């Protein structure tokens, strides 16, 4: 009989271990940019859509404002982003890249390529894994929301 609690049969453990390993690999790549992994995620979102509001960034990155605000303050102190309150609604704060933040994108373009190379996986395998993880995340998020209602 199979042990349902065997560690190597769980989905959660390899996801946890892979997440820790991926973050560690990113950490070494991002040190050269002077970014932490969460700061890099913010920059990725802004390089894709500059001028997002704090609320939009929270939604995009699945972070709460209490987690995101300190990241934004550090990125602003580093001269990479600016926070601007909306004239129409002072509760809305837009985050825009500075010229330094926009220029950093060029250096950051190499990061995903080096990360991909470090996995030893084919592009197709990485895309399949990414798509599977996105489906898993959507399913788990939907499950959480169904329990809240």
């Amino acid at each position: 009989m199979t042990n349902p609690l065997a560690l190597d049969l769980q989905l959660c453990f390899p996801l946890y271990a892979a997440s820790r390993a991926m973050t560690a690999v990113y950490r070494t790549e991002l040190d050269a940019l002077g970014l932490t992994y969460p700061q890099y995620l913010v920059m990725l979102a802004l390089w894709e859509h500059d001028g997002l509001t704090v609320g939009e960034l929270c939604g995009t990155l699945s972070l709460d404002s209490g987690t995101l605000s300190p990241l934004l303050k550090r990125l602003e102190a580093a001269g990479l982003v600016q926070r601007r309150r909306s004239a129409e609604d002072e509760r809305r704060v837009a985050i825009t890249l500075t010229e330094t933040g926009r220029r950093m994108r060029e250096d950051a373009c190499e990061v995903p390529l080096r990360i991909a190379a470090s996995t030893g996986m084919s592009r197709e395998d990485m895309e399949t894994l990414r798509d599977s993880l996105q489906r898993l995340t959507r399913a788990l998020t939907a499950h959480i929301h169904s329990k809240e209602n």
Side-chain angles (χ1 to χ4, degrees), residues 12 18 23 26 31 33 59 65 75-76 80-81 83 86 90 124 139:
C12 60
T23 302
Y26 266 96
D31 280 348
L33 295 175
S65 61
L75 289 170
E76 187 173 39
L80 300 175
V81 302
R83 294 180 294 165
S86 168
E90 287 197 12
E124 294 79 21

Side-chain angles (χ1 to χ4, degrees), residues 25-72:
V25 170
Y26 266 96
R27 186 178 305 114
T28 60
E29 291 294 330
L30 297 175
D31 280 348
L33 295 175
L35 294 174
T36 64
Y37 181 69
Q39 290 170 340
Y40 175 69
L41 296 179
V42 171
M43 295 300 289
L44 285 173
L46 292 172
W47 288 325
E48 190 171 350
H49 301 286
D50 194 10
L52 293 173
T53 65
V54 171
E56 290 167 334
L57 272 171
C58 286
T60 298
L61 300 174
S62 299
L63 296 173
D64 61 58
S65 61
T67 301
L68 186 59
S69 291
L71 291 173
L72 295 172

Side-chain angles (χ1 to χ4, degrees), residues 81-101:
V81 302
Q82 293 177 331
R83 294 180 294 165
R84 294 193 178 143
R85 291 206 178 273
S86 168
E88 297 84 40
D89 184 351
E90 287 197 12
R91 294 171 296 177
R92 293 178 50 94
V93 178
I95 309 301
T96 57
L97 293 164
T98 63
E99 186 56 38
T100 303

